[in-house]
Amino acid sequence: MNNAGKLKVAAVADLHVKEDGKTSYKDMFTEISGVADVLVIAGDLTDLGKPKEAELLAADLRSCTIPVVAVLGNHDYESGMVEEVSTLLTGAGVILLDGNPTEINGAAFVGVKGFAGGFGRYMLSSFGESAIKAMVAESVEESMRLENALRRVRSDRAMVVLHYAPIAETVEGEPREIYPFLGSSRLAETIDRFNVAAVVHGHAHGGTYEGKTPRGAPVYNVAAHVEKPNGKPYAILEL
């Protein structure tokens, strides 16, 4: 931690580690360890949610000497092996939030995957076919899990970690037709009930780096593909 008592957080999302092992993040994790106090990964750690991919990421994470906090993303669910992937990641020292807050050096990290549903007056409502109602129910459930986690926070410094976006502003740049699948305003509504210092998410590879919730909480799209002020795949934030 630096002299001002601030925690430097390196945040990135959408690493999409593949089975072929062609892309290594060892050098990036080593670099991050030298400039930050905590590494946050906001989902899509793997490309297809396969244990082999998680093993490769776990091996790369050996070069990271600071705490690692993460949430899973939709890609991590693709192969139906979430438990295996989670076990491998936690075995490598990754703190998977999944509705359980954690505190590091006085700062709280609270996270869930989040879900789709759309934004503002275009948000999907629970009406019509059972499939639509099930989708809305999933979105509501993720927001409720986030709320329950935030209620357990005692620190006055809290970062919310999501995969799906809580606002439309940070998905701008993506085709408007897919906005409903990139996140949900329900997440922002939950966040704005609490004192949150920063929110990070991924998922929208073609989105925009920075935005705010309706009540002013700063939101950062830290997908590796999104341009950031430091010119790196990861952002550096102070908490």
Side-chain angles (χ1 to χ4, degrees):
M1 194 187 303
N2 62 28
N3 294 331
K6 294 284 189 179
L7 202 68
K8 282 193 175 180
V9 179
V12 69
D14 302 280
L15 298 179
H16 292 281
V17 173
K18 295 179 172 61
E19 276 187 303
D20 60 19
K22 289 182 179 178
T23 301
S24 172
Y25 292 102
K26 287 180 182 178
D27 290 344
M28 186 180 80
F29 293 149
T30 298
E31 179 180 298
I32 285 172
S33 297
V35 297
D37 302 304
V38 180
L39 168 61
V40 168
I41 308 177
D44 282 2
L45 294 84
T46 65
D47 194 50
L48 295 173
K50 294 183 176 181
K52 176 62 176 177
E53 296 170 339
E55 288 174 1
L56 290 169
L57 177 57
D60 281 357
L61 282 169
R62 293 193 190 106
S63 66
C64 189
T65 59
I66 57 176
V68 182
V69 175
V71 296
L72 298 181
N74 59 312
H75 278 247
D76 301 312
Y77 280 75
E78 168 61 19
S79 296
M81 292 185 275
V82 174
E83 287 189 13
E84 294 93 328
V85 166
S86 298
T87 297
L88 286 163
L89 293 174
T90 55
V94 177
I95 302 168
L96 284 179
L97 298 176
D98 196 25
N100 297 308
T102 193
E103 190 170 308
I104 300 173
N105 291 342
F109 295 85
V110 187
V112 296
K113 174 174 59 65
F115 198 58
F119 304 98
R121 63 193 182 99
Y122 301 109
M123 192 164 55
L124 192 64
S125 62
S126 185
F127 182 87
E129 301 95 322
S130 58
I132 294 294
K133 292 177 180 176
M135 184 175 179
V136 173
E138 180 74 12
S139 184
V140 170
E141 173 66 19
E142 285 292 284
S143 297
M144 288 178 64
R145 291 174 66 245
L146 176 60
E147 180 170 348
N148 289 337
L150 282 165
R151 289 191 185 282
R152 294 160 57 191
V153 170
R154 296 295 174 261
S155 172
D156 59 359
R157 292 181 293 153
M159 172 178 280
V160 169
V161 184
L162 305 166
H163 182 58
Y164 285 83
I167 59 172
E169 194 175 353
T170 49
V171 305
E172 288 180 4
E174 294 279 8
R176 296 195 69 85
E177 292 82 357
I178 68 170
Y179 274 28
F181 305 102
L182 297 176
S184 170
S185 290
R186 288 185 176 88
L187 295 164
E189 290 170 0
T190 296
I191 290 163
D192 278 343
R193 296 189 190 106
F194 299 88
N195 182 23
V196 171
V199 183
V200 295
H201 74 86
H203 195 41
H205 297 193
T208 300
Y209 173 61
E210 190 172 1
K212 290 184 177 181
T213 65
R215 291 197 175 179
V219 179
Y220 303 95
N221 179 353
V222 295
H225 317 71
V226 171
E227 184 177 351
K228 301 170 183 68
N230 61 1
K232 304 287 187 177
Y234 58 88
I236 293 290
L237 305 170
E238 284 196 344
L239 190 60

